[in-house]
Amino acid sequence: MRVFAISDLHVDYEPNARWVQELSLVEYQDDVLILAGDVSDRSELLQRCIETLARRFRQVLFVPGNHDLWVRRDGPEIDSFGKFERTQALVREAGGSTKVFHQGKLSIVPLLGWYDGSFGEPGDDLRMAWVDFRACRWPEGYESHDTAKAFMAMNRYQRQSGDEVIVSYSHFLPRIDVMPARIPLDKRFIYPVLGSAALGEQVKALGSAVHVYGHSHVNRRIELDGTLFVNNAFAYPHETHIAKKELVCVYET
């Protein structure tokens, strides 16, 4: 069994949706796909994407990204925590899974998260530019660190044995040093909304052999402190310089 990974499919864009539709119906039937968030805030597109992938893979494993929890098209009766619950149910009904996957000694563990200011506090310019601050809706008085804390409290899985092989995955970055040094200084103003150091502590506590993440759209494969960190974001159609736009295998039994 091979474990493939991808994130940030953003199927609102027709070329991205077409790529999903054109994946082989035969090649991956024995394999698992980690889908690390940011498919679409439109439920019908997320459902169609999961159903399409579920016909191609033995199992599709999903964790939501920030785009998936936008509620600007959903009316005032639902907030982003409600959208999260609805998204989890939709994914399961479409044939995907939001739970821990086990195969022999291998466990594939989803880690929920959000950004919490541990990579820097977002300034006024970033708050104005970053769509989450307008498209998400949280309980009254909630700041980003409250949202991150609430989601990470749901990550309860613990290593079961010393020889268990754990592949974990999140949408958000678990540590900022996974970003390559080549990133220009003027592009680093978004670092405060990329992830959470506390999420990194959860990866460390699990002792993950591999951790898959998305969100930054910067494809990356780097080993740090004994864990292989992999970003394989499909990204926006024009981002061909930072995204390979192909599946990558991150583990094989």
Side-chain angles (χ1 to χ4, degrees):
M1 184 189 79
R2 298 173 295 179
V3 179
F4 287 93
I6 201 154
S7 69
D8 300 87
L9 281 173
H10 294 294
V11 296
D12 308 81
Y13 295 90
E14 192 278 334
N16 293 21
R18 179 163 21 98
W19 180 86
V20 174
Q21 291 288 340
E22 291 177 351
L23 283 172
S24 171
L25 277 162
V26 177
E27 186 175 351
Y28 309 109
Q29 288 295 322
D30 295 329
D31 302 323
V32 170
L33 176 67
I34 293 171
L35 180 53
D38 272 9
V39 174
S40 175
D41 64 310
R42 296 169 61 183
S43 297
E44 69 276 18
L45 295 186
L46 174 61
Q47 178 178 353
R48 188 182 310 159
C49 181
I50 298 294
E51 288 174 344
T52 300
L53 292 170
R55 287 193 292 271
R56 287 157 172 78
F57 290 86
R58 170 183 171 185
Q59 184 69 72
V60 177
L61 308 174
F62 175 81
V63 67
N66 50 315
H67 283 239
D68 305 309
L69 303 185
W70 288 357
V71 293
R72 59 184 179 176
R73 287 189 246 259
D74 295 276
E77 70 280 1
I78 188 169
D79 69 8
S80 290
F81 281 127
K83 184 72 174 284
F84 164 72
E85 296 292 344
R86 193 168 77 184
T87 296
Q88 298 287 89
L90 181 153
V91 167
R92 292 191 291 269
E93 290 166 5
S97 173
T98 60
K99 305 296 185 184
V100 178
F101 174 89
H102 297 284
Q103 168 73 46
K105 295 293 184 182
L106 172 66
S107 297
I108 305 178
V109 182
L111 291 178
L112 300 167
W114 201 259
Y115 39 85
D116 60 2
S118 53
F119 297 165
E121 286 294 336
D124 290 342
D125 289 349
L126 180 55
R127 286 181 176 274
M128 289 288 290
W130 197 249
V131 177
D132 291 354
F133 291 109
R134 301 185 300 279
C136 290
R137 189 162 49 243
W138 306 107
E140 184 72 25
Y142 256 55
E143 298 289 344
S144 294
H145 61 86
D146 298 307
T147 302
K149 186 176 180 180
F151 278 129
M152 284 188 279
M154 300 180 198
N155 300 331
R156 299 190 181 98
Y157 187 79
Q158 296 182 347
R159 170 178 288 275
Q160 303 297 300
S161 65
D163 60 351
E164 182 181 16
V165 177
I166 293 182
V167 175
S168 54
Y169 64 102
S170 61
H171 178 67
F172 296 94
L173 277 62
R175 46 195 295 173
I176 196 59
D177 56 356
V178 295
M179 290 296 286
R182 60 181 166 79
I183 300 298
L185 292 176
D186 65 338
K187 303 295 186 187
R188 299 185 186 188
F189 78 104
I190 66 166
Y191 280 13
V193 293
L194 289 188
S196 162
L199 185 61
E201 290 301 313
Q202 292 189 330
V203 175
K204 182 179 179 181
L206 283 171
S208 302
V210 180
H211 184 79
V212 174
Y213 65 97
H215 194 46
S216 68
H217 291 198
V218 179
N219 285 193
R220 183 76 158 150
R221 190 180 186 97
I222 184 172
E223 186 168 338
L224 296 168
D225 300 328
T227 298
L228 175 65
F229 292 88
V230 178
N231 181 318
N232 186 41
F234 195 84
Y236 299 130
H238 70 277
E239 292 179 316
T240 54
H241 58 301
I242 55 174
K244 293 179 180 176
K245 301 189 181 299
E246 62 185 19
L247 292 172
V248 298
C249 181
V250 297
Y251 191 80
E252 187 167 359
T253 60

